[in-house]
């Protein structure tokens, strides 16, 4: 006989399996990405849906939420609704984003905060992979290896870091070769991915199908701590849903 706790976990898992297809599509995404200036400053337009980002141990990223640096160490898993016959490009951008205090003369609505976000600046390629099959990043060609934390700016008490994830559906296999000359990783990044709109212009039928983002912060700001048994069940539900 199932306990009440188990039944609750099971119900939440079933409920969550339909959230990606209902809650995080359409006009809702424009609010998430445009209000925090992710679009058009880091991503060229709103994605069609959210991709799922998972860090160890079983930490599922909540969109636009803050995390300590120690929570987001190592390579993340990235999941999206992929098609077996398609190729994908996965781009992860990092940038500095500051908050500016509003003048004291500006009224603040109840439950509102007394600051405004600045546009993301000083952005860099954190991870770029092309020709990815399904959700397996190991199948792709790495243009920019994953940048470890020691090589990028760190959040402090004056700014936080935003990490934006973008998954593009390619019109065909790109076959971008990486060598030490004109096709070096740096040259390919400048040619196709700086700014990101050049990537879309170079491959006319390329579509931004999935995206997501979160913040790395110096101090807790409604910090998301995520290690509950319920969340572990949700992660399993996501993975089962992504199997094609």
């Amino acid at each position: 006989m199932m306990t009440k706790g188990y039944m609750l976990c099971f119900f939440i898992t079933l409920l969550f399996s339909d959230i990606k297809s209902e809650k995080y599509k359409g006009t809702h995404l424009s609010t998430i990405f445009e209000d925090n200036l992710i679009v058009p400053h880091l991503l060229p337009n709103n994605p069609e849906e959210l991709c799922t980002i998972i860090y160890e141990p079983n930490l599922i990223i909540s969109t636009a939420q803050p995390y300590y640096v120690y929570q987001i160490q190592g390579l993340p898993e990235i999941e999206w609704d992929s098609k077996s016959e398609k190729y994908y490009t996965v781009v992860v951008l990092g940038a500095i984003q500051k908050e500016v205090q509003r003048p004291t003369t500006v009224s603040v609505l109840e439950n509102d905060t007394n600051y405004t976000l600045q546009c993301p600046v000083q952005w860099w390629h954190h991870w770029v992979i092309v020709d990815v099959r399904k959700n397996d990043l190991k199948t792709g060609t790495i243009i920019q290896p994953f940048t470890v934390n020691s090589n990028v700016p760190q959040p402090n008490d004056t700014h936080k870091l935003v990490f934006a994830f973008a998954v593009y559906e390619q019109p065909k296999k790109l076959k971008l070769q990486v060598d030490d000359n004109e096709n070096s990783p740096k040259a390919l990044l400048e040619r196709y991915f700086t700014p990101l709109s050049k990537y879309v212009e170079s491959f006319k039928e390329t579509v931004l199908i999935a995206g997501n983002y979160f913040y790395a912060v110096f101090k807790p700001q409604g910090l998301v701590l995520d290690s509950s048994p319920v969340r572990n069940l949700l992660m399993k539900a996501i993975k089962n849903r992504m199997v094609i």
Side-chain angles (χ1 to χ4, degrees), residues 124 146-154:
W124 61 91
F146 183 78
T147 305
V148 296
N149 288 327
S150 60
N151 294 331
V152 301
Q154 295 295 299

Side-chain angles (χ1 to χ4, degrees), residues 115-131:
Y115 67 85
T116 182
L117 282 172
Q118 288 186 327
C119 295
V121 296
Q122 195 180 326
W123 60 272
W124 61 91
H125 297 96
H126 198 59
W127 204 13
V128 180
I129 309 174
V130 301
D131 296 334

Side-chain angles (χ1 to χ4, degrees), residues 60-167:
I60 302 175
I61 293 298
S62 296
T63 306
Q65 295 302 307
Y67 295 86
Y68 274 141
V69 173
Y70 81 84
Q71 294 181 280
I72 50 174
Q73 298 291 323
L75 293 171
E77 296 181 47
I78 306 173
E79 304 280 359
W80 65 94
D81 289 332
S82 63
K83 303 173 184 176
S84 58
E85 72 277 10
K86 293 291 186 179
Y87 291 91
Y88 299 91
T89 291
V90 177
V91 180
V92 182
L93 295 176
I96 293 174
Q97 192 166 25
K98 295 183 178 181
E99 297 173 346
V100 179
Q101 192 80 15
R102 292 194 182 109
T104 55
T105 56
V106 176
S107 61
V108 179
L109 298 176
E110 186 178 0
N111 297 326
D112 195 7
T113 52
N114 193 31
Y115 67 85
T116 182
L117 282 172
Q118 288 186 327
C119 295
V121 296
Q122 195 180 326
W123 60 272
W124 61 91
H125 297 96
H126 198 59
W127 204 13
V128 180
I129 309 174
V130 301
D131 296 334
V132 176
R133 301 301 300 272
K134 296 187 177 181
N135 287 279
D136 188 356
L137 299 181
K138 295 178 181 178
T139 62
T141 298
I142 297 175
I143 305 300
Q144 167 61 54
F146 183 78
T147 305
V148 296
N149 288 327
S150 60
N151 294 331
V152 301
Q154 295 295 299
N156 57 38
D157 54 1
T158 64
H159 68 258
K160 53 188 176 181
L161 303 184
V162 55
F163 292 95
F165 292 66
V167 179

Side-chain angles (χ1 to χ4, degrees), residues 20-31:
K20 275 175 59 63
S21 61
E22 298 296 333
K23 183 178 179 182
Y24 295 127
K25 287 190 176 183
T27 56
H28 184 65
L29 284 184
S30 65
T31 300

Side-chain angles (χ1 to χ4, degrees), residues 5-47:
Y6 182 85
M7 292 179 65
L8 176 62
C9 292
F10 182 72
F11 173 75
I12 294 176
T13 302
L14 291 178
L15 179 64
F16 189 81
S17 64
D18 289 328
I19 286 180
K20 275 175 59 63
S21 61
E22 298 296 333
K23 183 178 179 182
Y24 295 127
K25 287 190 176 183
T27 56
H28 184 65
L29 284 184
S30 65
T31 300
I32 292 176
F33 285 86
E34 293 174 16
D35 284 2
N36 287 345
L37 307 178
I38 304 303
V39 172
H41 300 285
L42 291 180
L43 304 183
N45 53 268
N46 294 312

